[in-house]
Amino acid sequence: MLGILSFIGFTLIVAVVSWTATRNTNEQTSDGYFLGGRSLTAGVIAGSLLLTNLSTEQIVGLNGSAFSEGILVMAWETLAAIAMVVTAVFLLPRYLKSGLITIPQFLAERFDVSTKTLTSVLFLSGYAIVLLPTILYSGSLAISGMFNIPGLLGVSKEVALWICVWSIGIIGSIYAVFGGLKAVAVSDSINAIGLLIGGLLIPIFGLVFIGGGSMFEGFAILQDKIPSHFNSVGGSAASVPFATIFTGMMLVQLFYWGTNQQIIQRALGAKNLQEGQKGLLLGAFIKILGPIIVVLPGIIAYYMSIQGTMEVGAPDEAYGQLVRKILPKEFIGFFAAVLFGAILSSFNSVLNSSVTLFGIDIYKEHLNPNAEEKVVVKYGKTFGVILAVAAMFIAPFLSSLESIFTYLQQVNGVYSIPILTIIFVGFVTKKVPAIAAKIGLLTGSVLYIISEFVLRPSFVNDALENAKALGVNTTDALNLAKAEAYPNFLHVMAILFVVNTAIMLFIGKFKPKAVPYEQKESKQVDITPWKHTKPVGIFICIIVILIYIYFS
């Protein structure tokens, strides 16, 4: 009961503070609603960025992967710091120079309006079919398990899942649809502090448990007893082979932190370039600590399971089991509250970005070009409600998936790499025409779908059948045969990025734009850069490299 009361109390405090903050700004214009009036400061941006990214699909999914594979999966978190530095130094100045509200707006300037619309539709499709349902599903699993909702309400696991999905979805929709970006950003900042504290408590208590009262002794025991789980270099059968760090992994990170509307919208809401750059770099520095929250607990759970002090049914259950095992009961309610905040944060940010994309890039651009600002906001909110309801219906059906984290990363490639390709070509060239961007979007999506959902299953099935026919029956040997049957999906992303870029450049050479593109300055935002951006960025990149050297 104490845990439930502390959970409700902390959640209500965050809601009241964030909602009150929005009343101090004009939320009824498109700029005020979608960007918080371009008033976000570095601290708010950093906190919002981190909590938007750090949700249950990362906390539960990555700790589950760390349980199985060890520290090598930290690549999903640690390398994000480099991508955020690149965004702060190279991308954000260009975005703010044009006064962008959405990333597709840049594509309208660089190519044409139809390219922008196609990109917005791709974003919205990915958000509706993949991201929103995944966030709701993984978050509902965590909350249901932590509070034992089936036992508490006397219902089945399936019914409990539906109840949690709709509860989270409704609360998140109220934040995002009716509060706007500032409500989301302020609540994110508050929750980020709580999540960092609560997230750090889990590995601390775990290490103290293993070390017999000493955190440092616990870490030493882990490194001594399971050294294989502290090797950052993954082999060919790993989910993140080391070579992918230099290919598709960095492309995924650049897309996510530099072009994904869900994430970059925070930086676009900065009151000036300096605040935006400081926010991104602060977020990058804190992001380096991410593996402590999303990787180390999984390793601790693995050690405790092989020692027989804790039972783990499946890797994705490792985090929840660890929390229940080592966290004092008086802290469970607080931790559940900040975890709930993380779930809401990711859901809110995706939904708010969807509302922005629809309102600005589709409704205002094509359905009602003469619409007043309040009308754009109204129909954007309506679309957000429809999208949220659709996601709430889809989410429970994801229970049939083997790995929610792998599903999310693989399916995202359908739209992430094509969009990143056309943005990259748009920035580095001046004469590649709009038709090249449209072809790049089409070929990128279609080729990736064929690769991952047609060719891969066929090659993998053939390889496994051949291996079994030769008498191979061990799990490790079969996994190796499976991995070597077809390139890792991150390598596939890199290959298609190069292919799509080549196609666009080829078209640009033989059918260039009549008038070369020149970026115009909107003067909506002060774009004076922060003088320490590059030195701080280099320092962060060096830290990341040193971490990999230490754990190699």
Side-chain angles (χ1 to χ4, degrees):
M1 181 59 70
L2 179 62
I4 294 176
L5 289 176
S6 60
F7 166 78
I8 295 173
F10 186 82
T11 303
L12 287 176
I13 290 172
V14 173
V16 171
V17 172
S18 60
W19 195 264
T20 301
T22 66
R23 301 307 94 198
N24 297 326
T25 60
N26 178 14
E27 295 279 350
Q28 296 304 312
T29 66
S30 63
D31 181 73
Y33 176 78
F34 295 128
L35 293 179
R38 291 196 189 276
S39 61
L40 304 186
T41 60
V44 172
I45 292 169
S48 184
L49 282 169
L50 291 172
L51 199 65
T52 295
N53 169 251
L54 194 59
S55 190
T56 45
E57 65 269 23
Q58 274 74 35
I59 296 175
V60 175
L62 271 181
N63 275 302
S65 298
F67 178 91
S68 301
E69 300 185 272
I71 203 168
L72 65 88
V73 298
M74 73 176 183
W76 292 108
E77 285 291 303
T78 308
L79 294 178
I82 295 178
M84 294 171 80
V85 169
V86 173
T87 301
V89 175
F90 298 106
L91 298 180
L92 187 61
R94 290 173 169 81
Y95 292 155
L96 294 184
K97 181 178 180 180
S98 294
L100 300 181
I101 295 177
T102 69
I103 296 303
Q105 278 186 292
F106 163 73
L107 299 177
E109 293 181 6
R110 175 59 182 83
F111 296 112
D112 60 13
V113 173
S114 58
T115 301
K116 178 186 76 169
T117 303
L118 287 173
T119 305
S120 294
V121 170
L122 266 180
F123 268 125
L124 291 173
S125 299
Y127 291 165
I129 299 172
V130 182
L131 201 49
L132 283 172
T134 299
I135 292 168
L136 285 178
Y137 170 69
S138 60
S140 297
L141 279 183
I143 296 298
S144 179
M146 191 168 293
F147 283 118
N148 188 24
I149 299 299
L152 188 66
L153 301 181
V155 298
S156 66
K157 288 184 178 181
E158 291 74 17
V159 173
L161 180 63
W162 279 90
I163 291 173
C164 290
V165 163
W166 280 81
S167 298
I168 294 171
I170 290 171
I171 295 172
S173 300
I174 293 172
Y175 263 112
V177 175
F178 299 102
L181 182 63
K182 189 164 186 180
V184 175
V186 172
S187 64
D188 283 358
S189 300
I190 299 170
N191 276 313
I193 298 172
L195 185 62
L196 285 174
I197 295 172
L200 289 172
L201 285 177
I202 304 305
I204 289 174
F205 277 109
L207 291 174
V208 169
F209 182 89
I210 293 173
S214 171
M215 181 176 67
F216 297 104
E217 180 65 21
F219 190 74
I221 290 173
L222 287 179
Q223 289 188 303
D224 180 59
K225 299 296 184 181
I226 49 172
S228 61
H229 266 55
F230 286 91
N231 183 6
S232 62
V233 180
S236 60
S239 62
V240 185
F242 186 69
T244 60
I245 291 175
F246 306 100
T247 58
M249 176 61 77
M250 283 311 303
L251 294 177
V252 170
Q253 299 287 7
L254 285 173
F255 167 79
Y256 189 82
W257 295 100
T259 67
N260 189 352
Q261 182 68 25
Q262 170 204 4
I263 294 295
I264 198 63
Q265 184 164 327
R266 269 80 176 132
L268 295 181
K271 64 180 182 180
N272 54 51
L273 177 57
Q274 289 189 30
E275 290 298 308
Q277 289 179 322
K278 287 188 286 187
L280 281 166
L281 294 175
L282 176 59
F285 184 77
I286 301 175
K287 196 68 178 171
I288 296 173
L289 304 176
I292 297 176
I293 297 175
V294 299
V295 175
L296 184 55
I299 298 175
I300 294 172
Y302 173 76
Y303 175 78
M304 291 175 63
S305 70
I306 63 175
Q307 292 296 310
T309 55
M310 185 179 74
E311 292 184 6
V312 178
D316 283 344
E317 298 175 5
Y319 192 75
Q321 296 286 352
L322 181 67
V323 170
R324 287 191 292 271
K325 178 69 177 179
I326 54 91
L327 195 65
K329 290 186 176 8
E330 55 267 26
F331 289 132
I332 290 180
F334 164 75
F335 184 71
V338 296
L339 188 63
F340 183 69
I343 299 165
L344 288 182
S345 171
S346 291
F347 183 77
N348 297 347
S349 63
V350 177
L351 193 58
N352 184 265
S353 297
S354 300
V355 170
T356 304
L357 288 172
F358 178 81
I360 301 296
D361 293 344
I362 295 179
Y363 183 80
K364 176 72 173 177
E365 189 70 52
H366 298 282
L367 301 181
N368 191 355
N370 298 320
E372 296 180 354
E373 298 290 291
K374 291 184 178 181
V375 176
V376 175
V377 172
K378 174 186 174 182
Y379 280 93
K381 290 179 179 180
T382 302
F383 176 79
V385 171
I386 295 172
L387 200 64
V389 172
M392 286 182 252
F393 274 111
I394 295 172
F397 295 102
L398 298 181
S399 59
S400 60
L401 297 173
E402 292 183 6
S403 172
I404 195 69
F405 189 77
T406 301
Y407 165 78
L408 178 64
Q409 299 302 331
Q410 279 192 296
V411 177
N412 275 348
V414 174
Y415 67 94
S416 62
I417 297 304
I419 292 174
L420 179 63
T421 304
I422 65 171
I423 291 176
F424 169 74
V425 174
F427 270 134
V428 301
T429 69
K430 295 183 177 182
K431 293 187 177 181
V432 172
I435 185 63
K438 296 182 182 67
I439 292 175
L441 286 174
L442 179 63
T443 57
S445 297
V446 172
L447 290 177
Y448 186 82
I449 291 172
I450 293 173
S451 170
E452 294 305 298
F453 304 107
V454 179
L455 296 180
R456 179 181 297 281
S458 177
F459 276 82
V460 168
N461 289 336
D462 289 345
L464 291 177
E465 289 178 5
N466 291 335
K468 291 177 181 178
L470 294 173
V472 176
N473 54 20
T474 64
T475 301
D476 290 342
L478 289 174
N479 286 338
L480 182 60
K482 181 179 178 180
E484 293 179 346
Y486 199 80
N488 185 280
F489 75 94
L490 291 168
H491 285 318
V492 172
M493 289 181 175
I495 293 169
L496 292 182
F497 177 81
V498 174
V499 170
N500 290 337
T501 300
I503 291 173
M504 292 183 67
L505 294 178
F506 179 81
I507 296 173
K509 180 175 179 60
F510 292 97
K511 193 178 179 181
K513 285 173 63 76
V515 179
Y517 168 74
E518 292 291 341
Q519 186 179 21
K520 298 178 181 178
E521 184 174 348
S522 69
K523 297 184 179 180
Q524 294 182 22
V525 183
D526 180 4
I527 58 171
T528 303
W530 185 41
K531 62 181 180 180
H532 301 300
T533 296
K534 291 183 179 179
V536 172
I538 293 172
F539 176 69
I540 291 172
C541 293
I542 291 173
I543 292 177
V544 172
I545 294 171
L546 291 177
I547 289 174
Y548 264 90
I549 292 174
Y550 178 77
F551 287 111
S552 63

